[in-house]
């Protein structure tokens, strides 16, 4: 069948079973939008800013195991999309971004709305393509989806000049694709896995540390099984929350800068560390030299060899897919007779329980002023721990991670690697479209939410009943916290002045807005949002304690054991 | 430590910028980089001379391997190998210098490939040290222009970098 390039692009998306394209039209993509218009399988979500298009596609991908798709025009459309692309790249999220480009003959002529999109995005994509011939479109899009979802996932951009979308050729979607230069290892090395299992069984003070790789690999079940089989303590990074049920006793909470005392102490003092799909980020291990001071053997499972031995030296590297490797570990354990040494293990647990008894997540609640932690706890209670929770970046993000206990993967969507303010609402949009019946909450701050506030309009158009929980402290709270602790309390530009009345603003967009001032009203307001206004977007504007800080805290450059546990430690 | 990394890469436009972009973005240093198509025109062979600690070299090879268009990567300096570089050097050749330059070129087995009444262009191949030595042997005042290709490398004996 002979089709235009534009028709081919849309046919490819249909072949990939794409349900939603998040995008924004413009000159270079007019033919693509015309082709979209003339079919019904692929639905388009018109956002109000291209950054939000990519974030929403990203949120859709994070909350499912699918590839998110965004479409933008050339020039400013593409540059607006860059923050979204980089955000997905830093957290290894599979996306395909289709960008329009000026006609082939105009490339390099400083044409209207021309930018070197492939050049600009090169350092923040897994791969990108400029299509130069209509006959290459189908194979290129096939490759893009394949690259995005396999190996270490990531965003892939396909830049298509306008003339290519008008040119015609015979359409056939390739069934299989293979690239001689790209063959990610999936199956872990048997011998290495055997060594790892041996080491785990000999451990006196074992610790399991897992991250986003468990979620990306959809291996929460395997992780839970292995952890229970061994009876070892486990911690999930900010990106790995929900990989292991947070309400289980073996779970020690999150590690790192704002992790729990027990998780950090166990990471530091264990003698065998099993790292699974986690990359020893500086926000997790603190100062690498300090971390290296304590002798321990490290087993590291990761699909990307470059994640291994990058920041810490690893004793047993295992390159492979988490699910595959954990399955094999479980198989070897179950088929062998050896079991962990109960005596050592109970001594280790005794130590851990002692650390846990410090109760580092305790905070002083108040009857007068709303504590942000309290709001998150109430949200957890009212939603039965079953909501999909997105967040923006700042203190509220940390409180969300600390106080909403995730028992399942793909329920917690946030920007960990790039730390992009403004992701919260678009992530919620993507998640709500992917799960129309789910409760979706966006925990945000008054500063972050303003970075993509225009999406309230998109939410109205697509009737997305997300619940926005604004922990309004009238500050760039995370910045203020650092200025308080490290810059002598000089609050340079961290005060959020001239804030809008968010409840009224939400109403202006046609939503429900509720302002909450008193702790006693918190629970009722959340209930009202989730029950009475179940099918509406509700903007809950909680006026919270302006000076609350996030604890525990490991300062940048310090070791994991050098924690500030509460304001008294300052 | 100095390392010579050889790689095969798809001969696509933009492939070179992915490699050079990787080095600049991650702060790795490049002493030289040469690239040209192989006998299979769909692939190019690149030789990169770089330096760094073992950890950094390990990351460099891993990061190169991670580039989607890179087919194969080897650190050829880990075993016996040969390195060659080409230099073209234009020197002033008048009066008694004419004979002197010619003699020096002969000693280095260099060839004079362009002659005018005032200058020579000398062609010399060899490893970096030999090229450096030749430059040092010339009176600096005579050197008008030099151009060097950067290092090409290949493993000795059975070691073959092929698809
Ligand atoms: C304000 C702020 C504060 C923060 N504080 C903390 C903190 O206290 N604690 C904390 O943990 N983080 C914190 N972070 C997040 C931190 O910056 C990192 O994003 C995060 O720690 C990285 O998580 P990860 O190690 O799980 O890696 P990810 O970025 O999730 O990477 C996943 C790893 O798994 C691998 N992988 C992917 N798929 C597979 C597969 N199928 N099989 C095998 N391997 C796979 C990848 O190659 C990669 O190495 C904070 C961020 C912000 C913005
Ligand atoms: C786009 C972007 N700009 C700047 C920052 C730096 N930054 C990190 S947290 C933060 C403050 C966020 O304020 P708010 O959304 O109100 O959250 P709070 O910390 O008060 O809970 C800032 C400015 C960032 N992460 N992202
Ligand atoms: Mg704030």
């Amino acid at each position: 069948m002979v089709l235009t390039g534009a028709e081919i692009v849309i046919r490819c998306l249909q072949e990939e079973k794409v349900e939603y394209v998040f995008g924004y039209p413009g000159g270079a993509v007019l033919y693509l939008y015309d082709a979209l218009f003339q079919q019904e399988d692929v639905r388009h979500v018109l956002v109000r800013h291209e950054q939000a298009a990519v974030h929403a596609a990203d949120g859709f991908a994070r909350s499912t195991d699918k590839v998110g798709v965004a479409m933008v025009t050339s020039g400013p459309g593409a540059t607006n999309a860059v923050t979204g692309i980089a955000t997905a790249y830093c957290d290894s999220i599979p996306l395909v971004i289709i960008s329009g480009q000026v006609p082939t003959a105009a490339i390099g002529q400083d044409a209207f709305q021309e930018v070197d999109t492939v050049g600009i995005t090169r350092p923040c994509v897994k791969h990108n393509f400029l299509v130069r011939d209509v006959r290459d479109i189908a194979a290129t899009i096939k490759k893009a989806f394949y690259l995005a979802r396999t190996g270490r996932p990531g965003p892939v951009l396909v830049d298509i000049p306008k003339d290519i979308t008008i040119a015609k050729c015979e359409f056939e979607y390739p069934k299989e694709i293979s690239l001689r230069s790209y063959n990610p290892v999936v199956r872990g090395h048997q011998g290495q896995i055997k060594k790892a299992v041996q080491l785990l069984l000999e451990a006196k003070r074992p610790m399991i540390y897992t991250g986003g790789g468990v979620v990306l690999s959809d291996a929460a079940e395997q992780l839970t099984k292995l952890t229970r089989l061994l009876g070892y303590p486990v911690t999930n990074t900010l990106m790995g929350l929900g990989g292991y049920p947070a309400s289980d006793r073996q779970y020690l909470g999150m590690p790192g800068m704002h992790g729990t005392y027990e998780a950090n102490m166990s990471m530091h003092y264990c003698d065998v560390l099993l790292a699974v799909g986690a990359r020893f980020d500086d926000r997790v291990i603190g100062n690498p030299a300090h971390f290296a001071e304590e002798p321990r053997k490290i087993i590291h499972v990761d699909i990307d060899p470059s994640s291994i031995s990058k920041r810490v030296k690893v004793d047993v590297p295992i390159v492979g897919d988490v699910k595959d490797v954990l399955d094999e570990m479980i198989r070897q354990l179950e088929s062998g007779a050896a079991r962990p040494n109960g005596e050592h293990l109970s001594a280790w647990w005794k130590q851990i329980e002692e650390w846990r008894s410090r109760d580092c997540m305790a905070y002083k609640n108040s009857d007068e002023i709303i504590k942000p932690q309290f709001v998150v706890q109430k949200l957890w209670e009212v939603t039965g721990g079953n909501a999909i929770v997105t967040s923006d970046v700042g203190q509220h993000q940390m409180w969300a991670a600390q106080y909403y206990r995730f028992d399942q993967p793909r329920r917690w969507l946030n920007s960990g690697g790039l730390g992009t303010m403004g992701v919260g609402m678009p992530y919620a949009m993507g998640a709500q479209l992917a799960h129309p019946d789910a409760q979706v909450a966006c925990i945000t701050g008054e500063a972050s939410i303003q970075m993509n506030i225009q999406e309230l309009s998109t939410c109205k158009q697509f009737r997305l009943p997300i619940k926005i929980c604004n922990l309004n402290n009238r500050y760039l709270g995370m910045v203020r916290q650092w200025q308080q602790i490290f810059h002598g309390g000089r609050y340079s530009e961290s005060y959020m002045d001239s804030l809008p009345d968010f409840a009224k603003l939400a109403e202006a967009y046609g939503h429900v807005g509720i302002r909450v001032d008193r702790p006693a009203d918190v629970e009722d307001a959340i209930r009202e949002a989730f029950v009475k206004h179940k099918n509406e977007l509700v903007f809950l504007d909680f006026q919270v304690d302006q000076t609350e800080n996030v604890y525990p805290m490991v300062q940048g450059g310090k070791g994991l054991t050098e924690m500030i546990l509460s304001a008294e430690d300052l | 430590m100095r390392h010579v990394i050889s790689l095969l890469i798809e001969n696509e436009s933009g492939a070179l910028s992915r490699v050079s972009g990787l080095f600049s973005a991650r702060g790795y240093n490049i002493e030289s980089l040469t690239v040209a198509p192989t006998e299979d025109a769909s692939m190019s062979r690149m030789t990169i001379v770089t330096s760094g600690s073992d950890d950094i070299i390990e990351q460099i090879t891993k990061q190169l391997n991670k580039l989607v268009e890179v087919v194969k990567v080897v650190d050829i300096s880990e075993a016996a190998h040969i390195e060659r570089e080409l230099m073209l050097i234009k020197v002033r050749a008048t009066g008694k210098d004419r004979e002197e330059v010619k003699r020096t070129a002969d000693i280095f087995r260099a060839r004079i490939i362009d002659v005018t009444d005032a200058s020579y262009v000398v062609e010399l191949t060899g490893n970096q040290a030999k090229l450096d030595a030749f430059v040092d042997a010339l009176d600096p005042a005579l050197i008008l222009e030099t151009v060097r290709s950067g290092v090409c490398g290949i493993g000795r004996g059975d070691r073959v970098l092929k698809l």
Side-chain angles (χ1 to χ4, degrees):
Chain A
M1 195 189 335
V2 174
L3 299 176
T4 66
E7 288 163 344
I8 291 175
V9 171
I10 306 306
R11 282 294 304 274
C12 292
L13 299 182
Q14 292 172 347
E15 293 283 340
E16 289 291 338
K17 309 255 181 314
V18 172
E19 296 155 80
Y20 291 103
V21 173
F22 300 86
Y24 210 92
V29 287
L30 277 173
Y31 289 94
L32 288 170
Y33 273 81
D34 200 33
L36 258 179
F37 189 84
Q38 299 179 46
Q39 53 87 54
E40 278 172 358
D41 298 347
V42 180
R43 278 173 287 176
H44 183 269
V45 178
L46 179 69
V47 294
R48 275 30 174 186
H49 185 296
E50 289 89 347
Q51 180 187 346
V54 183
H55 288 328
D58 176 344
F60 183 90
R62 284 178 203 244
S63 71
T64 60
D65 57 357
K66 298 174 188 160
V67 178
V69 181
M71 193 183 290
V72 297
T73 191
S74 69
T79 54
N80 269 352
V82 170
T83 300
I85 298 172
T87 303
Y89 180 70
C90 291
D91 291 339
S92 307
I93 305 302
L95 294 186
V96 169
I97 302 99
I98 294 176
S99 55
Q101 184 53 277
V102 301
T104 320
I107 291 178
Q109 306 286 316
D110 297 323
F112 175 63
Q113 297 197 325
E114 177 186 3
V115 293
D116 175 9
T117 303
V118 164
I120 287 174
T121 56
R122 189 183 305 118
C124 60
V125 292
K126 180 168 173 181
H127 198 60
N128 58 18
F129 299 93
L130 173 62
V131 183
R132 292 168 183 281
D133 188 323
V134 66
R135 286 165 301 187
D136 294 339
I137 291 180
T140 305
I141 293 185
K142 180 84 186 176
K143 276 185 209 165
F145 277 89
Y146 171 66
L147 288 170
R149 72 160 74 90
T150 56
R152 179 176 183 169
V156 179
L157 178 134
V158 183
D159 200 26
I160 310 181
K162 187 169 183 178
D163 54 318
I164 307 288
T165 63
I166 316 168
K168 289 183 175 171
C169 79
E170 182 69 28
F171 171 68
E172 197 189 341
Y173 200 59
K175 287 202 174 50
E176 292 286 317
I177 199 97
S178 84
L179 295 167
R180 63 179 171 183
S181 61
Y182 174 80
N183 296 294
V185 176
V186 172
R187 302 217 50 200
H189 188 277
Q190 290 278 323
Q192 290 292 92
I193 297 177
K194 206 165 157 199
K195 247 198 245 169
V197 169
Q198 186 72 23
L199 202 56
L200 279 170
L201 288 171
E202 286 164 7
K204 293 187 175 135
R205 299 184 309 281
M207 177 70 179
I208 302 174
Y209 147 62
T210 79
V214 171
V215 177
L216 291 164
S217 172
D218 286 307
E221 203 182 301
Q222 282 78 1
L223 174 65
T224 307
K225 186 162 180 199
L226 178 74
T227 306
R228 296 224 167 110
L229 206 59
L230 289 167
Y232 292 173
V234 57
T235 179
N236 295 164
T237 68
L238 185 73
M239 297 313 298
L241 297 180
Y244 187 88
S247 49
D248 191 83
R249 276 309 278 179
Q250 278 171 254
Y251 184 65
L252 304 189
M254 183 172 81
M257 178 175 273
H258 295 297
T260 65
Y261 183 66
E262 51 272 32
N264 283 346
M265 295 298 275
S266 306
M267 286 281 285
H268 194 79
Y269 290 110
C270 65
D271 70 343
V272 173
L273 182 66
L274 170 62
V276 186
R279 54 190 174 82
F280 292 92
D281 188 80
D282 46 300
R283 295 227 155 174
V284 171
I285 59 162
N287 182 339
H290 181 274
F291 188 67
E293 276 168 21
E294 198 65 27
R296 67 176 88 65
K297 293 262 183 260
I298 299 180
I299 304 160
H300 194 175
V301 183
D302 204 293
I303 202 155
D304 178 358
S306 77
S307 280
I308 299 177
S309 288
K310 180 169 64 177
R311 307 196 68 250
V312 301
K313 266 254 148 298
V314 167
D315 302 280
V316 185
I318 303 174
V319 177
D321 181 62
V322 167
K323 196 185 247 178
D324 198 90
V325 173
L326 294 189
D327 268 334
E328 178 57 23
M329 282 185 172
I330 293 167
R331 199 193 60 76
Q332 289 191 12
L333 266 174
E334 286 183 332
S335 64
R339 288 292 170 265
N341 180 314
E343 215 170 300
H344 290 314
L345 193 57
S346 60
W348 177 228
W349 270 112
K350 193 159 160 262
Q351 169 66 74
I352 293 170
E353 291 304 341
E354 214 175 291
W355 288 327
R356 176 139 59 187
S357 68
R358 294 279 291 264
D359 198 10
C360 68
M361 285 298 156
Y363 64 94
K364 248 194 233 104
N365 209 354
S366 155
D367 294 336
E368 322 263 287
I369 187 154
I370 301 176
K371 291 288 180 179
Q373 301 94 322
F374 175 70
V375 176
V376 179
Q377 273 186 331
K378 284 292 159 200
L379 180 69
W380 179 78
E381 278 174 34
V382 172
T383 56
N386 286 319
I388 296 175
V389 177
T390 76
S391 90
D392 270 300
V393 172
Q395 292 182 312
H396 61 272
Q397 175 189 20
M398 294 299 110
W399 288 316
Q402 291 174 333
Y403 294 93
Y404 199 99
R405 300 211 294 270
F406 296 93
D407 283 342
Q408 285 173 57
R410 299 197 182 276
R411 294 279 179 86
W412 164 241
L413 322 186
N414 84 135
S415 164
L418 198 63
T420 309
M421 290 168 67
V423 298
M425 191 173 10
Y427 277 180
M429 288 158 42
Q432 187 79 74
L433 282 163
H435 307 274
D437 299 325
Q439 299 174 307
V440 178
C442 163
I443 298 178
T444 184
E446 78 298 330
S448 292
I449 194 70
Q450 291 188 82
M451 288 221 174
N452 270 317
I453 193 84
Q454 76 287 345
E455 296 309 315
L456 282 172
S457 175
T458 313
C459 290
K460 185 68 192 172
Q461 183 180 345
F462 292 86
R463 298 185 171 71
L464 302 177
I466 62 181
K467 310 297 179 237
I468 296 172
C469 303
N470 188 27
L471 303 183
N472 189 342
N473 53 11
R474 282 84 80 209
Y475 270 114
L476 302 175
M478 190 54 98
V479 173
R480 188 204 53 72
Q481 176 168 347
W482 284 54
Q483 288 172 335
Q484 180 191 339
I485 300 175
F486 308 120
H487 297 278
R490 290 179 298 280
Y491 298 133
S492 178
E493 305 299 320
S494 55
Y495 184 66
M496 271 276 118
D497 208 335
S498 306
L499 286 170
D501 178 333
F502 285 106
K504 280 215 183 103
L505 183 70
E507 282 166 14
Y509 277 102
H511 302 299
V512 179
I514 303 174
R515 177 184 161 114
V516 189
D517 292 276
R518 296 184 314 142
D521 297 335
V522 168
E523 183 169 342
D524 285 348
I526 298 174
R527 259 183 223 294
E528 188 182 337
F530 279 96
V531 181
K532 183 170 164 207
H533 301 295
K534 184 169 182 287
N535 297 320
E536 284 161 293
L537 184 148
V538 182
F539 195 115
L540 292 155
D541 186 20
F542 296 101
Q543 308 300 306
V544 301
D545 188 346
Q546 285 194 277
T547 57
E548 191 66 29
N549 284 339
V550 180
Y551 297 111
M553 177 175 189
V554 181
Q555 301 176 35
K558 293 267 178 169
L560 273 187
T561 55
E562 303 167 309
M563 255 170 290
I564 305 173
L565 285 183
S566 68
E568 282 97 71
D569 285 358
L570 283 182
Chain B
M1 261 272 283
R2 179 178 176 276
H3 286 255
V4 182
I5 294 173
S6 274
L7 57 91
L8 291 172
I9 187 166
E10 296 289 352
N11 192 3
E12 304 267 351
S13 72
L16 174 60
S17 58
R18 288 185 210 279
V19 173
S20 59
L22 168 69
F23 276 75
S24 61
R26 293 190 184 261
Y28 303 143
N29 78 65
I30 300 189
E31 199 177 290
S32 74
L33 185 159
T34 66
V35 58
T38 61
E39 75 284 3
D40 169 356
S42 69
M43 257 193 301
S44 292
R45 166 102 174 217
M46 204 179 273
T47 308
I48 303 169
V49 179
T50 181
S51 57
S53 63
D54 290 352
D55 290 351
I56 289 180
I57 299 298
E58 183 181 335
Q59 268 298 311
I60 290 177
T61 50
K62 284 174 169 177
Q63 293 293 345
L64 285 168
N65 260 312
K66 197 166 143 178
L67 293 176
V68 168
E69 284 160 344
V70 168
V71 183
K72 248 185 190 163
V73 181
V74 206
D75 182 349
I76 60 167
S77 51
E78 276 182 341
H81 70 286
I82 301 159
E83 290 175 32
R84 287 293 178 271
E85 185 172 357
L86 167 71
M87 175 165 67
L88 301 177
I89 180 162
K90 189 177 285 180
V91 290
R92 182 171 294 124
T94 50
K96 67 170 177 34
D97 295 330
R98 255 181 119 73
E99 201 34 45
E100 182 58 27
V101 170
K102 170 82 172 65
R103 245 197 316 272
T104 314
D106 287 344
I107 293 169
F108 280 84
R109 296 209 186 95
R111 298 197 301 146
I112 295 173
I113 55 172
D114 183 59
V115 179
T116 69
D117 50 6
S119 70
Y120 288 150
V121 173
V122 184
E123 172 197 319
L124 178 60
T125 46
N127 59 22
Q128 278 182 315
K130 178 177 170 185
L131 269 51
D132 292 344
F134 181 68
V135 173
D136 287 344
L138 294 173
D139 174 357
L142 297 181
I143 300 176
L144 298 170
E145 193 181 340
T146 59
V147 51
R148 295 171 69 150
S149 65
V151 172
C152 277
I154 196 162
R156 282 189 186 273
D158 296 342
R159 297 205 310 149
V160 172
L161 174 56
K162 223 181 153 65
L163 188 64

